Structure formats: C-alpha cells, structure tokens
C-alpha cells in the first residue's frame, strides 16, 4: 500500500472535508472578484462602468423621494406613477382579459458619449445626466462608454473601432437601444445603426420624448408636437422605389425619358408635405393661444403688479420652491422635466406687497433649439418679468455648469437684462464647501432648502427688496363716507405707512404707484 505523505485524494476524503475544500475555493474566488472591483485603475486607465455604477450616476431617479407636506395632495404625481413603465413585463398578451392591465416593457439602453473638450469629469457628468434623462423617459440603463476624439466621425459619430466595441457591449448586455449624448446627423445615425444592429437615438430625440410624455396642457402638447416635427422632417428615410421620382421627357442624349418615369409623388415626399402642413397648423394654433396670455400679462402691467419668474436647470427644485412660497400644489417628482406647463400664482412680501410668481419649464445643457423656438412664447414670461429667481441644485456635481447652461438660454430669449437672484437649493443635501464656493462666485445669492423650508425667510425678504415697489408718497384724508377708497388702499399694491382715525375721516400716509396716485389726487392733504 502506498502512503500519501500528507496529501489526501478525493477517495480518501470524507464528505465534510470535501465541503470544506469547496467552501475555501468559493471564498477565494469571491475575494478575488471583490479585489478586482475595488482595484484602483492605473495611469491612463478608465474603469469600465457597471450597470450599478450607471444607475447610481443617474442620481437614483427610480427611487422617488416622497413630497413634503408643503407640496399638497400631489394627485397628478399619483396618476403619473400609475402609468410608469416597469421592467420584466412583456407586451405580449396571453389572454385578452389582460388588456386593461398591460404595461409597457422597459427599454434596455446603452449610453455613448464623446469627450472632445473640457475635462474627463465634464464628460462623466454629461453621461450621468444622459443616464438620468434615459431613466426619466422610462428606460433601464445597462452600460455606457465615452470616446476621446477631437471631433465626431462624420460616418458613425464614434469612429468604426469604437462603434464595433459598442456593438460588443450591446450584444453582451442584451440592450435594444443605444442613446448618443449629442445630436446626430441622419447619416451618422444610419451608419451607427448599421454597425450596432439596434435602434439608435440621440440626446435631442430623448429630450423630446420626455417632453411628449409630460406635456398636459393643450398649448404644451402643441409646442412639443411642433418641436418633434421640426426634428423629424430632415430625418425621414425611404428605401427602394419609395425614393423614385418622375424623370419627365427626354433626359440627355441617352433619351431615358420614356419607360423611366417613376410612380409620381413618392411616399417620402407625401410624408414631408403632410409634416409641413401639420407644422403650419400647429404654428397657427400656438399663435392663436398667445393673445389670451398677452391679455393676462397686460392686466398685470396695467395694475402694475410686479412679476417674479422662477427659472433654472431641470430637477433643481423649482416646483418645490413655488409650492413653499405660494402653496400652489404643483406636481413635484424626482425626475428631469417633471413639469412643463407654466404655472402663475399670487404671492405677498412680508410687508404685504402683492406680486405674481411664475414657474417655467426647466432648462438643460444643449437644450434642443427646436424646443427653444417652440416654447418661446412660454419663455416670454421670464423675459417680461421684473425679477428672476434662478434656482440652482447646490448638491449637483457641476452647479457652475448648470448656471452657465441656464444663462445661455436666458440670453437667447432676451432675459439677461432682468435682475437675477441665485437661489442655491437643496442645501440640506449639498456640501457646505460647494455652497461657500458658489456664494463667492455669485454675490446676489441665497441658500435655501425647499424640502425643509430653511432659508425661505431670507429669500422672501430679498424678493421684497428687489421687486418694483410703490414709489409715490401721499398724505391722504379719506372721508368716512368713501369706504371704497379706504378698501382700495388696503390692497396689495399699496404700502400703508401710517393710519389714524380723526373727526373728519381717516388720515393715511401711503406709498402708491403713479397710476393710483393720479386717482387719489382729490384726497391729498394740503397743509
């Protein structure tokens, strides 16, 4: 019999010893995997983003924070959540009775971006924002890549090598869509689709899809449809005979007229004509809605009611701030472009001066020009206001980039001349050093938290100081028989400095606007 000298074979080992060896091997494998995940990349190396990483970079939008008590009942939010797409459900019906309960299958997407300028962190932040946009649109982000190039490839945007790498990622993850973090030309989109073999959309199409999901008012839906048609028109595609046209007559010396005529107006030409007709109709409808808004705005101007507009990057907390200041009950959701329709509410300063507070559509980096043109009538609320509350998400990785993107859009709509207050929101989640850095860069700023209510007192005082106030001081004596005059002087556009009841009537020292001062001339006291 041969001795094993300390080495035992599988036949000599009992069940407990075999299980111990298996456990030891599995433990070493798990340790190696954990070490590989936590390994720091060497110089010039970029760690491959995992599905979990990209989902965290999307700011965990799928984990909705519950609105605060200041946001009201939020019935619109419950309705939106009831229609949300969910993963793991097929659109195929096994039984006709399921038709009422069917939900859309969640798209599985891979992101692709180009790093042509700025730092690597800027490129990462841009792809994080694209991931957040994709999740807001109802997609599941699986992976993402960033290509370092000085300029996009004219054929495939990324270049043939990186496009092949993207194809491998798509096949490995089982994705059905690729989203590119830029606007693609029709040829670039077609060239990339030919390689990756799945649907390819760009950043503009993604934003337009989110707008189409969230628009609720008649005007908002018309504006979004107009922007979508403007984007679609140059991207219509046709194949084979659908691209043929009439040759007509004898063409050249070859005499290829007879027998070469096409079927007439082609399908793609018909589509283009229908789109142009629909766009013209939408422009007329939007123009027809403008007078109603102009009438409301002119009434405010005639009554000299100050107007304050809330502007800022999407998901910076504009609607939450409006709810805090006015109890408007506007929909609040931890998602990009959650609210599109402008909301105007009445508000008062701490000393009783009335003004209007308008919530506008959120902005984003590289906001599609089609949307700026379509929503220009809505953005006029910002340009015509007396004060802009520029809301900034202080907890964002790149708040300075948000400020620059918003100011670029404000410049396009001629709103940079309007006085601006930077409102650094989400102070409860922001880094104090980042807040201090922003306050050094922006002297006219205030730190608030719409969720907790911190800083709102200071914000209200800043609004009171910066809006146009009554500028004419009058010393009035109003007879007791003219109660309607006294009632008028207690409205929000009048500041009462002093009031005394005497034998002749009510003596008041007030600050009023010029238009009202002319009406009160008969009651002015002359010493």
């Amino acid at each position: 019999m041969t001795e094993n000298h300390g080495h035992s074979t599988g036949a000599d080992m009992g069940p407990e010893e075999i299980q111990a060896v298996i456990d030891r091997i599995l433990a070493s494998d798990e340790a190696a995997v954990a070490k590989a995940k936590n390994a720091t990349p060497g110089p010039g190396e970029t760690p491959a983003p995992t599905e979990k990483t990209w989902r965290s970079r999307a700011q965990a939008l799928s984990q909705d924070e519950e609105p605060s008590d200041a946001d009201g009942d939020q019935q619109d939010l419950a309705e939106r959540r009831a229609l949300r797409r969910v993963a793991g459900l097929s659109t195929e019906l096994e039984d006709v009775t399921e038709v009422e309960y069917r939900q859309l299958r969640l798209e599985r997407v891979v992101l692709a971006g180009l790093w042509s300028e700025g730092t690597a962190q800027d490129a990462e932040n841009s792809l994080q924002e694209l991931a957040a946009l994709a999740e807001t649109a109802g997609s599941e982000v699986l992976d993402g890549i960033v290509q370092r190039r000085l300029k996009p490839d004219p054929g495939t945007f990324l270049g043939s090598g990186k496009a092949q790498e993207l194809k491998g990622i798509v096949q490995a993850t089982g994705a059905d869509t690729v989203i590119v973090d830029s606007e693609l030309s029709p040829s670039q989109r077609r060239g990339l689709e030919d390689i990756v073999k799945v649907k390819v959309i760009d950043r503009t199409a993604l934003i337009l899809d989110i707008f189409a999901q969230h628009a609720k008012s008649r005007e908002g839906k018309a504006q979004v449809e107009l922007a979508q048609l403007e984007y679609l028109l140059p991207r219509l595609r046709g194949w084979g005979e659908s691209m043929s046209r009439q040759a007509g007559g004898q063409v050249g010396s070859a005499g290829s007229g007879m027998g070469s005529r096409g079927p007439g107006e082609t399908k793609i030409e018909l589509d283009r004509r229908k789109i142009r007709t629909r766009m013209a109709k939408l422009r007329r409808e939007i123009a027809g809605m403008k007078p109603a808004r102009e009438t409301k705005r002119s009434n405010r101007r005639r009554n000299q009611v100050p107007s304050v507009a809330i502007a800022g990057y999407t998901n910076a907390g504009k609607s939450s701030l409006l709810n805090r200041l006015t109890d408007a009950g506007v929909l609040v959701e931890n998602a990009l472009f959650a609210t599109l329709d402008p909301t105007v509410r009445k508000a008062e300063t701490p000393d009783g001066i009335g003004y209007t507070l308008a919530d506008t559509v959120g902005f984003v980096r590289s906001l599609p020009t089609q949307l700026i043109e379509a929503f220009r009538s809505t953005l006029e609320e910002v340009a015509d206001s007396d004060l802009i509350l520029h809301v900034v998400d202080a907890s964002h990785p790149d708040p300075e980039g948000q400020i620059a993107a918003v100011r670029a859009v404000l410049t396009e709509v001629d709103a940079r001349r309007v006085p601006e207050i930077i409102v650094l929101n989400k102070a409860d989640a922001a880094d104090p050093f980042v807040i201090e850095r922003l306050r050094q860069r922006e002297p006219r700023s205030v730190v608030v938290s719409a969720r907790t209510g911190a800083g709102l007192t200071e914000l209200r005082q800043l609004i009171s100081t910066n809006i146009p106030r009554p500028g004419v001081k009058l010393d009035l004596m109003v007879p007791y028989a003219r109660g309607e005059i006294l009632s008028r002087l207690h409205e929000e556009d009048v500041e009462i400095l002093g009031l005394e009841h005497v034998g002749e009537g009510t003596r008041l020292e007030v600050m009023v606007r010029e238009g009202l001062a002319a009406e009160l001339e008969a009651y002015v006291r002359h010493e």
Side-chain angles (χ1 to χ4, degrees), residues 168-182:
I169 295 174
V170 167
Q171 292 175 343
T173 58
D176 51 30
T177 305
V178 170
I179 304 178
V180 178
D181 191 21
S182 184

Side-chain angles (χ1 to χ4, degrees), residues 219-220 223 285-287 289-291 293-294 297 342 360 371-384 413:
E219 183 176 15
Q223 289 168 329
E285 288 181 0
I286 294 172
M289 300 172 196
K290 189 175 180 179
R293 195 185 310 104
E294 284 289 344
R297 200 177 299 157
T360 59
L371 284 173
I372 296 177
E373 288 301 319
F375 279 79
R376 185 170 293 275
S377 57
T378 300
L379 295 174
E380 287 174 359
E381 288 284 351
V382 182
D384 289 342
V413 297

